Amino acid sequence: MWTGLPPGLLRMRRLLLVVWLGLLTVAAALLPGLFLGPLWAALALPPLALLVWGWVMLERNWRSWRYAERADDLLISRGVLWREETVVPYGRMQLVEVTSGPVERHFGLASVQLHTAAAATDATIPGLDPAEAERLRDRLTELGEARSAGL
């Protein structure tokens, strides 16, 4: 059964997009418009178009992220144009950690980072509710210890 990411991650990413590209759009409109003439304010159109395109693409990307806890492994799927699926066997997990930077903490989000012996199979699930991230970490650690005991 697939589990999608909570909408808080989409809200956080959209706010960051609006802050950065919004400031760039205003600066591109005001500065040339004030010093060179009103026609130069058209320089704000490319960052504005990028903001609108980014708004739509962020939602498509957010919808593409999902994960599934299966009997022997964790499956993580993501990507819009290039789909990527990562399978992390429970018995191969060496470390499962929950991280949360200052912006994530402000939005009440956390990420689960999975580390295995092979760096190519390391995986991250971003934008989870902190309680869900801790539950997932504890469950994956428990399953990892149970599966690795048989090796």
Side-chain angles (χ1 to χ4, degrees), residues 1-3 67-75 90 125 132 135-136 139-140 143:
M1 182 176 127
W2 289 105
T3 304
Y67 64 96
E69 298 174 60
R70 301 191 308 181
D72 296 320
D73 51 36
L74 178 72
L75 183 60
Y90 296 135
I125 303 173
E132 171 63 9
R135 183 207 64 81
L136 190 59
R139 175 151 169 72
L140 294 176
L143 289 168

Side-chain angles (χ1 to χ4, degrees), residues 2-150:
W2 289 105
T3 304
L5 299 181
L9 178 65
L10 178 61
R11 282 194 299 273
M12 178 189 78
R13 288 181 173 173
R14 280 183 167 170
L15 178 67
L16 292 173
L17 176 77
V18 167
V19 166
W20 291 108
L21 282 179
L23 288 174
L24 181 61
T25 301
V26 169
L30 286 181
L31 295 177
L34 289 174
F35 295 113
L36 302 174
L39 279 177
W40 286 93
L43 289 174
L45 292 178
L48 182 61
L50 191 59
L51 191 144
V52 171
W53 178 78
W55 186 272
V56 172
M57 292 309 293
L58 281 174
E59 182 169 356
R60 289 184 67 196
N61 179 270
W62 169 75
R63 286 190 188 281
S64 76
W65 275 89
R66 55 194 180 155
Y67 64 96
E69 298 174 60
R70 301 191 308 181
D72 296 320
D73 51 36
L74 178 72
L75 183 60
I76 302 170
S77 178
R78 66 185 173 277
V80 177
L81 294 176
W82 286 270
R83 300 279 311 152
E84 184 176 329
E85 287 191 355
T86 304
V87 179
V88 184
Y90 296 135
R92 302 287 180 187
M93 289 184 207
Q94 292 185 328
L95 174 68
V96 181
E97 62 183 341
V98 174
T99 60
S100 185
V103 176
E104 285 179 310
R105 278 193 308 274
H106 178 76
F107 283 90
L109 301 172
S111 297
V112 174
Q113 177 102 25
L114 309 160
H115 299 280
T116 63
T121 57
D122 286 0
T124 302
I125 303 173
L128 297 173
D129 178 68
E132 171 63 9
E134 289 176 16
R135 183 207 64 81
L136 190 59
R137 178 199 58 206
D138 294 344
R139 175 151 169 72
L140 294 176
T141 301
E142 178 183 308
L143 289 168
E145 288 172 355
R147 298 293 194 283
S148 67

